């Protein structure tokens, strides 16, 4: 059962975490604590996420809401460099569940404690691979979101952006930052990517519960190399997360979004 996206009030939530399951996951996450020393994986202690610092990198990440920042919180997204200086990236199951593009999404970068320090930005266009719909193919669980201007400004000009990087493979040290639905501030964790399959990658760190789908995987050089999603729509436990491998498929989708 997928655990990453809060169910839209307009859509059947059978595929997503039921309240009891979400409670169990929240308890499991709480038991991990923060910092190093979380649950073990084959004898290896896994890290757990900490509160994200307030900095330029974190301000490029924010939650997606339905309708307004007072509406249901859906997933996490982040700013990615583009010629139009107006692009976000997230998981396709957040922006186009069952292949149907979600209307009325807004992005609140740097959101903390019910405050939107950089405002809320309307999503004007959603780009997903046609192979994502209608069966929600996990190998195409990526979406690019074009953001409308606010007060004549483009979002990348205000906050900067991460650089999309494809074809780098696994074994990369990355920071993953996202917004669990039960928190009003982001969490972050650093770990090294591993291979789940030829088309999927894995990131092990506790604390990534409902709401963290779409969380960016970013290297120390500011290269965006993944987003939580893909296999199991991002993962069935808070300790293990997945991403579609950022390869030629993602590069081509980016070209479509920016063309």
């Amino acid at each position: 059962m997928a655990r990453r996206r809060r169910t839209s009030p307009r859509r059947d939530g059978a595929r997503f975490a039921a309240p009891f399951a979400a409670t169990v996951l929240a308890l499991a996450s709480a038991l991990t604590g923060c910092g190093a020393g979380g649950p073990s994986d084959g004898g290896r202690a896994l890290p757990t996420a900490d509160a994200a610092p307030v900095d330029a990198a974190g301000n490029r990440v924010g939650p997606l809401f339905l309708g307004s920042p007072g509406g249901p919180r859906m997933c996490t997204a982040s700013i990615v460099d583009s010629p139009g200086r107006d692009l976000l990236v997230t998981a396709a199951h957040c922006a186009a569940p069952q292949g149907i593009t979600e209307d009325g999404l807004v992005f609140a970068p740097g959101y903390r404690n019910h405050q939107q320090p950089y405002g809320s930005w309307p999503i004007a266009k959603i780009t997903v691979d046609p192979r994502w719909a209608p069966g929600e193919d996990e190998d195409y669980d990526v979406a690019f979101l074009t953001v409308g201007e606010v007060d004549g400004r483009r979002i990348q000009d205000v906050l900067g952006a991460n650089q999309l990087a494809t074809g780098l493979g696994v074994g990369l040290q990355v920071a993953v930052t996202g917004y669990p639905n039960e928190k009003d501030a982001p969490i972050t964790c650093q770990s090294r990517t591993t291979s789940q399959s030829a088309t999927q990658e894995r990131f092990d760190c506790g604390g990534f519960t409902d709401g963290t789908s779409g969380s960016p995987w970013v290297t120390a050089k500011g290269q965006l190399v993944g987003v939580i999603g893909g296999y199991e729509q991002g993962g069935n436990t808070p300790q293990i997360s997945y991403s579609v491998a950022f390869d030629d498929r993602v590069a081509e989708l980016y070209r479509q979004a920016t063309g």
Side-chain angles (χ1 to χ4, degrees):
M1 178 164 47
R3 63 173 175 82
R4 301 297 187 176
R5 172 186 179 272
R6 174 168 287 178
T7 306
S8 166
R10 301 178 298 159
R11 187 168 290 112
D12 178 9
R15 295 200 50 167
F16 305 107
F20 175 76
T23 300
V24 171
L25 289 170
L27 289 172
S29 178
L31 289 172
T32 66
C34 292
S40 65
D41 177 23
R44 177 174 60 93
L46 299 181
T48 56
D50 291 304
V54 179
D55 58 16
N59 288 337
R60 296 169 188 163
V61 184
L64 289 170
F65 293 90
L66 186 62
S68 74
R73 196 193 299 179
M74 308 300 285
C75 285
T76 299
S78 63
I79 308 169
V80 60
D81 180 69
S82 67
R85 308 183 72 77
D86 58 358
L87 202 65
L88 311 179
V89 65
T90 188
H93 74 262
C94 298
Q98 301 175 12
I100 302 170
T101 53
E102 191 76 81
D103 294 328
L105 291 176
V106 297
F107 176 63
Y111 178 87
R112 287 173 182 269
N113 303 318
H114 303 285
Q115 301 297 313
Q116 303 95 49
Y118 301 99
S120 61
W121 298 72
I123 304 306
K125 185 179 76 170
I126 297 171
T127 303
V128 295
D129 195 294
R131 288 167 288 191
W132 163 251
E136 294 192 332
D137 188 330
E138 64 185 21
D139 286 339
Y140 300 94
D141 193 4
V142 179
F144 290 101
L145 314 180
T146 304
V147 182
E149 293 184 2
V150 172
D151 297 330
R153 300 175 301 167
R154 298 187 182 187
I155 194 167
Q156 184 174 334
D157 292 330
V158 176
L159 292 165
N162 298 314
Q163 188 77 36
L164 182 73
T166 59
L168 298 186
V170 295
L172 304 174
Q173 185 76 17
V174 297
V176 177
T177 303
Y179 282 80
N181 284 339
E182 70 271 17
K183 296 180 180 294
D184 285 318
I187 61 171
T188 193
C189 188
Q190 293 195 26
S191 189
R192 196 167 294 278
T193 64
T194 58
S195 177
Q196 170 66 17
S197 70
T199 55
Q200 300 283 328
E201 297 178 3
R202 172 171 162 168
F203 175 88
D204 293 356
C205 181
F208 289 89
T209 54
D210 292 343
T212 59
S213 278
S215 297
W217 301 18
V218 182
T219 71
K221 296 180 179 180
Q223 299 166 305
L224 194 148
V225 297
V227 296
I228 291 180
Y231 182 61
E232 296 176 342
Q233 292 196 348
N236 280 339
T237 74
Q239 290 80 33
I240 300 174
S241 300
Y242 302 99
S243 171
V244 172
F246 271 33
D247 54 18
D248 290 345
R249 298 164 301 160
V250 175
E252 175 57 30
L253 187 65
Y254 175 82
R255 284 191 286 270
Q256 293 174 25
T258 57

